[in-house]
Amino acid sequence: MKTRITEMLGIQHPIIQGGMHYVGFAEMAAAVSNAGGLGTITALTQKTPRDLANEIARCWDMTDKPIAVNVTFLPTVNAPDYPAITKAIIDGGVRIVETAGRNPEQVMPHLKEAGIKVIHKCTSVRHSLKAQEIGCDAVSVDGFECGGHPGEDDVPNMILLPRAADELEIPFVASGGQADGRSLVASLAMGAEGINLGTRFIATKEAPVHQNVKDAIVAATELDTRLVMRPLRNTERVLTNAAVEHVLEKERALGGNIQFEDIIDQVAGVYPRVMQEGKMDAGAWSCGMVAGLINDIPSCQELIDGIMAQADQIITDRLAAFNRS
């Protein structure tokens, strides 16, 4: 299947593994890229730019296919060393960067000068248009159902994707609720050039996370995510657990007086305990509503092959049947 995204990125299938904290290691990225998609290393999971450089090199030892690096721009006083991170990416021979969070304008000149394609994650049409304006090559349009930060507009992909198609000139991929061939065909129908999967890739054999995490996603339904930090306008969709319910209780009790410090123990620094140690109640961790569609733990190759086979069947059989006289 050829789309503007596969042609731009030099990948076989229009399937991207999004950047995920303490999931996007070299093993994950290489497995996805080797299966014909685009694997992504998460820069801020690495403690230093030097560690990121080593992780990129480790990934190249496992694949000769295109890979990406995710860089999230955080609203923080003690910002990561973004110039050094950018240099590690450029020096490491990475040709694709997924940016997220705040506007990536500060690094765009360096990335573009190096010939790197930039895909910015956006939760609204207005932010997508801004990404286009500053020179991003594509955007990842994240609907309200996505895991992680869905923004504050609460627009699901059935509306957001066609709106993006109406407004954008650059290509975009659909993120949020993406699980299988049905997701891919539906997203293509609404104007996307591919799909970005997060939660679905955590529940794969190669994902470098504790088995408890994978089992929790398989066991979850579409009703098992919660929105935390909404009063702080930093909304995050997470899988419910004891810590998450405690956060929600605090938010209800404190109302408009809540401060980040009131919930910091449940929402900050918890990923190593959850993802690596499998302590499922340690705190809040991102998970999409798509968990309700995830019922197995395949290899990345099996997952991507299955998505493409199902998409082909839908396009050639089911949809084609509606045109038959």
Side-chain angles (χ1 to χ4, degrees):
M1 181 183 289
K2 288 186 178 180
T3 73
R4 292 166 72 190
I5 283 291
T6 64
E7 297 292 284
M8 175 187 293
L9 305 181
I11 56 178
Q12 183 180 0
H13 304 303
I15 297 172
I16 297 172
Q17 166 243 320
M20 293 175 283
H21 202 34
Y22 279 87
V23 180
F25 291 100
E27 294 87 350
M28 181 87 263
V32 174
S33 291
N34 285 334
L38 178 67
T40 304
I41 294 169
T42 305
L44 297 192
T45 295
Q46 301 299 318
K47 292 181 174 58
T48 68
R50 180 183 292 274
D51 290 335
L52 174 60
N54 291 338
E55 195 71 7
I56 292 169
R58 205 163 66 85
C59 193
W60 286 131
D61 287 339
M62 292 182 262
T63 187
D64 59 359
K65 304 290 176 62
I67 63 170
V69 172
N70 165 279
V71 183
T72 298
F73 292 89
L74 300 172
T76 177
V77 175
N78 298 312
D81 188 349
Y82 289 115
I85 289 171
T86 303
K87 186 175 188 302
I89 292 168
I90 295 170
D91 292 349
V94 174
R95 310 302 295 172
I96 305 160
V97 166
E98 177 191 67
T99 55
R102 291 193 165 186
N103 190 318
E105 199 162 14
Q106 60 178 292
V107 300
M108 288 296 293
H110 304 288
L111 296 176
K112 302 310 291 182
E113 185 179 347
I116 290 173
K117 300 297 184 185
V118 179
I119 307 170
H120 188 56
K121 292 176 70 72
C122 302
T123 61
S124 69
V125 173
R126 65 184 182 279
H127 292 148
S128 299
L129 288 169
K130 181 62 177 179
Q132 178 176 273
E133 180 186 323
I134 68 171
C136 292
D137 299 280
V139 292
S140 175
V141 177
D142 287 21
F144 181 54
E145 58 269 63
C146 73
H149 297 280
E152 307 300 326
D153 293 342
D154 301 359
V155 181
N157 269 330
M158 284 292 286
I159 308 300
L160 189 58
L161 298 179
R163 282 287 296 117
D166 288 344
E167 298 285 346
L168 288 172
E169 297 177 8
I170 59 174
F172 66 93
V173 295
S175 181
Q178 309 299 319
D180 52 31
R182 296 173 297 183
S183 312
L184 175 57
V185 175
S187 296
L188 294 174
M190 288 186 282
E193 303 284 342
I195 55 177
N196 180 307
L197 290 76
T199 304
R200 173 67 271 199
F201 272 123
I202 302 178
T204 57
K205 291 176 181 175
E206 294 93 341
V209 302
H210 198 282
Q211 187 65 35
N212 289 353
V213 178
K214 302 178 186 185
D215 291 343
I217 292 172
V218 171
T221 76
E222 66 275 17
L223 304 177
D224 291 326
T225 69
R226 302 288 185 267
L227 297 173
V228 298
M229 295 189 287
R230 174 132 280 195
L232 300 171
R233 294 191 62 79
N234 188 31
T235 303
E236 182 177 9
R237 186 179 298 281
V238 299
L239 192 68
T240 188
N241 59 31
V244 167
E245 295 301 327
H246 182 58
V247 169
L248 293 173
E249 287 175 12
K250 276 192 174 182
E251 290 181 352
R252 285 190 291 268
L254 295 174
N257 295 321
I258 194 166
Q259 301 292 321
F260 181 70
E261 289 72 24
D262 295 320
I263 56 173
I264 190 170
D265 290 342
Q266 288 81 41
V267 299
V270 302
Y271 272 78
R273 283 180 285 159
V274 175
M275 295 295 174
Q276 297 179 332
E277 300 174 29
K279 295 178 179 177
M280 302 312 297
D281 288 326
W285 57 281
S286 297
C287 180
M289 295 176 77
V290 74
L293 298 176
I294 299 173
N295 303 302
D296 59 354
I297 305 174
S299 68
C300 289
Q301 188 74 60
E302 290 167 341
L303 174 60
I304 290 177
D305 286 350
I307 290 172
M308 298 311 300
Q310 187 182 34
D312 183 67
Q313 187 275 326
I314 292 170
I315 293 168
T316 58
D317 295 342
R318 177 172 168 76
L319 296 184
F322 293 124
N323 277 331
R324 293 171 189 155
S325 57

